[in-house]
Amino acid sequence: MDSERQGLLNCHSDSRLEEVLSDTSVAIWKRLISATWIELNLLFPLAGPAVLVYVINSLMSLVTRVFAGHLGNLELAAANLGNSGVQLLAYGLMLGMGSAVETLCGQAYGGNKYDMLGIYMQRAIIVLTLTGIPLTLLYIFSKPILLFLGEPLQLASLAALFVYGLIPQIYAYAVNFPMQKFLQAQSVVVPSTYIAAATLLLHVLLSWLVVYKLGFGLIGSSFVLSLSWWIIVGANFLYILLAPRFKHTWTGFSLQSFSSLFPFLKLSAASAVMLCLETWYFQLLVLITGLLHNPQLSLDSISICMSISGLMLHIGFGFNAAASVRVSNELGAGNAKSAAFSVIVVNMVSLGIAVIEAMVVLALRHVVSYAFTDGETVANAVSDLCPYLAITLILNGIQPVLSGVAVGCGWQALVAYVNVACYYGIGIPLGYILGFRFSLGVQGIWSGMIGGTMLQTLILLWITLRTDWTKEVDTARKRLNAWDKK
């Protein structure tokens, strides 16, 4: 191995962490302090920028809907329907499938199989692009689908028009998410943050120009969103292509990436199911609430609480990415103690932040709704729901991190089964029974959903605590050797 490759090894897996944890000649409390400091210095440079990237991506979609809203109330409703009903489906599916790259690239990087990172990324792009074809058909036929679901003709027509402009975005997702995981696996996240922030500013300017000055209206606003995502893709690809730091992990396009696509699709599908089941779960909470008698107040209050939860969840997603990278890198490097210690630290830090979020929400429970609406009735309803929101925020401090650990270890299929059982076998039926049979309304529905999430979190925590990390190192090594031959 030449000096450059040795430098790569040293930068992605701090061997000092394993050495500190293994040095029994030092008192355990001194080892823990030193190890925690090392881990935090590896964790926050990953989690911080990752949080910002997720927030900026969300803001781009929000900006598009704001511009659509200034065209009229009907256009705003159409943009919200197109975003919630169609775009989020594609986003969750593509992001979930992309996490397969997170497992393989993270462990390959930790195991010094640098040349395989580019192969895995290309393989994922091919699989996700092929997945984009049926999604494109969904977008094309969105109008009759929305009409079938009972949406009014005019709203369905405008929502479909908005969705047509998002078709190029599907394929931007297919390229961007594998590249994003390729970079994260190497702990390269800050440049992506700069690119996303610059694109957000450009997105605002282009939206103003296309929607107002050129008069392209609703479809113009959604097409600009697609264009902005392709700008991110182009900038990230140029960075990978030109930056010297990737000379060992990106060695150019390869025909090897077309091999073994079906096994890669199976791993990607398990990853997608794992994430989508989580994403759709709380969307169903809002839909079920709409079935309540006189649902307007319940929908208004729960939508505000879900908006707050969604905003805070970006922090959980950031630590999810950081946990996945840290665990996969350490497993690939053969550092069982470091992997286990990383899991403990990232969970404690994320949980601590989540508890602070919950305390702030409870302290502001009587006024937090005024950031969204001036209605006193809604404010009182939101105040009643804030304890449930606080519990959800605390769970969101643990659950996404444990999911990130699962991705780092390659447990996606197992977690998918757990999610089906806990979310859809227990959480939703329990919420329905409490909300409708016991007439507890939205509080009962949310209580049942919290029960499903809590059970899922406890099961993942139990699995993680019982994990033999030395065995996981062996599993990662076997996985890398198997995929290396494909």
Side-chain angles (χ1 to χ4, degrees):
M1 180 184 293
D2 60 27
S3 59
E4 278 188 273
R5 288 172 67 86
Q6 184 63 49
L8 266 173
L9 173 60
N10 291 337
C11 74
H12 74 73
S13 178
D14 195 327
S15 58
R16 291 181 301 151
L17 181 58
E18 192 75 9
E19 292 170 1
V20 167
L21 291 170
S22 302
D23 188 1
T24 55
S25 64
V26 178
I28 187 169
W29 63 271
K30 289 184 177 180
R31 276 186 282 158
L32 290 176
I33 292 174
S34 298
T36 301
W37 178 251
I38 293 170
E39 180 60 33
L40 290 176
N41 278 280
L42 293 169
L43 177 64
F44 278 105
L46 282 169
V51 170
L52 290 176
V53 168
Y54 283 115
V55 170
I56 292 169
N57 289 346
S58 178
L59 284 176
M60 285 207 306
S61 178
L62 177 62
V63 165
T64 296
R65 283 175 280 144
V66 167
F67 274 96
H70 284 289
L71 294 172
N73 290 335
L74 185 61
E75 285 80 358
L76 175 60
N80 283 329
L81 180 60
N83 176 75
S84 301
V86 182
Q87 182 197 19
L88 285 181
L89 171 65
Y91 180 86
L93 183 64
M94 291 293 197
L95 181 61
M97 293 183 73
S99 72
V101 191
E102 211 165 353
T103 303
L104 295 172
C105 281
Q107 293 185 0
Y109 194 64
N112 310 327
K113 296 180 179 290
Y114 300 123
D115 57 316
M116 291 305 298
L117 270 76
I119 302 297
Y120 294 146
M121 180 178 70
Q122 293 174 65
R123 199 172 285 168
I125 290 172
I126 294 168
V127 170
L128 266 66
T129 300
L130 293 174
T131 305
I133 296 174
L135 286 175
T136 301
L137 294 176
L138 173 67
Y139 278 44
I140 291 173
F141 293 104
S142 57
K143 180 179 176 179
I145 292 172
L146 291 173
L147 289 174
F148 176 76
L149 294 175
E151 299 295 340
L153 175 61
Q154 192 176 8
L155 180 59
S157 299
L158 280 177
L161 184 66
F162 180 81
V163 166
Y164 295 156
L166 296 177
I167 290 176
Q169 186 190 46
I170 298 173
Y171 299 96
Y173 287 160
V175 182
N176 178 74
F177 291 139
M179 284 200 302
Q180 186 183 58
K181 304 306 181 184
F182 169 87
L183 293 169
Q184 285 179 357
Q186 301 170 71
S187 300
V188 180
V189 286
V190 174
S192 295
T193 309
Y194 291 143
I195 289 170
T199 305
L200 175 62
L201 297 176
L202 182 60
H203 177 68
V204 174
L205 177 61
L206 289 175
S207 296
W208 172 79
L209 179 65
V210 170
V211 175
Y212 293 140
K213 293 302 178 181
L214 298 180
F216 284 102
L218 195 62
I219 192 170
S221 67
S222 59
F223 183 78
V224 168
L225 182 59
S226 294
L227 176 62
S228 296
W229 272 90
W230 274 107
I231 291 172
I232 290 175
V233 168
N236 277 320
F237 180 69
L238 283 176
Y239 178 64
I240 292 171
L241 198 63
L242 300 177
R245 67 195 305 171
F246 302 115
K247 64 184 297 184
H248 296 297
T249 54
W250 172 256
T251 55
F253 296 101
S254 172
L255 291 175
Q256 188 179 354
S257 59
F258 288 92
S259 64
S260 303
L261 292 180
F262 184 70
F264 201 92
L265 175 62
K266 289 172 60 179
L267 181 60
S268 297
S271 303
V273 170
M274 185 188 83
L275 181 67
C276 288
L277 289 175
E278 295 173 2
T279 304
W280 298 337
Y281 185 53
F282 280 97
Q283 287 181 321
L284 282 172
L285 170 59
V286 178
L287 292 175
I288 295 173
T289 301
L291 300 176
L292 291 169
H293 179 67
N294 190 20
Q296 182 174 344
L297 179 60
S298 297
L299 281 173
D300 286 344
S301 58
I302 203 168
S303 295
I304 290 173
C305 289
M306 285 296 100
S307 296
I308 297 170
S309 176
L311 180 63
M312 296 298 104
L313 191 58
H314 288 117
I315 297 175
F317 283 156
F319 281 99
N320 169 288
S324 174
V325 172
R326 290 292 302 123
V327 170
S328 60
N329 280 177
E330 297 297 351
L331 290 178
N335 298 331
K337 290 186 177 66
S338 296
F341 190 75
S342 295
V343 171
I344 295 171
V345 172
V346 69
N347 272 285
M348 294 301 293
V349 171
S350 182
L351 177 60
I353 294 173
V355 169
I356 294 172
E357 293 170 0
M359 291 171 64
V360 171
V361 163
L362 290 176
L364 301 176
R365 59 184 296 185
H366 299 294
V367 297
V368 69
S369 69
Y370 290 110
F372 299 86
T373 180
D374 294 329
E376 184 177 350
T377 305
V378 174
N380 292 332
V382 170
S383 177
D384 291 339
L385 288 180
C386 274
Y388 302 90
L389 174 59
I391 296 172
T392 300
L393 292 177
I394 291 174
L395 289 174
N396 286 348
I398 307 172
Q399 189 274 336
V401 175
L402 293 175
S403 293
V405 172
V407 170
C409 295
W411 300 338
Q412 287 96 323
L414 172 62
V415 176
Y417 289 123
V418 173
N419 288 354
V420 169
C422 295
Y423 289 164
Y424 299 90
I426 296 176
I428 292 176
L430 180 60
Y432 182 84
I433 292 171
L434 293 175
F436 292 91
R437 300 296 182 187
F438 287 88
S439 301
L440 296 178
V442 65
Q443 295 175 342
I445 295 172
W446 202 342
S447 296
M449 305 287 268
I450 286 175
T453 305
M454 188 174 295
L455 180 60
Q456 185 253 18
T457 302
L458 289 173
I459 291 174
L460 290 186
L461 189 60
W462 179 77
I463 292 171
T464 304
L465 290 173
R466 289 178 56 86
T467 297
D468 183 339
W469 292 100
T470 302
K471 185 177 178 180
E472 286 300 319
V473 166
D474 293 335
T475 301
R477 186 176 294 115
K478 291 175 183 177
R479 179 185 293 114
L480 290 176
N481 289 335
W483 280 93
D484 203 6
K485 296 172 184 176
K486 291 180 179 179

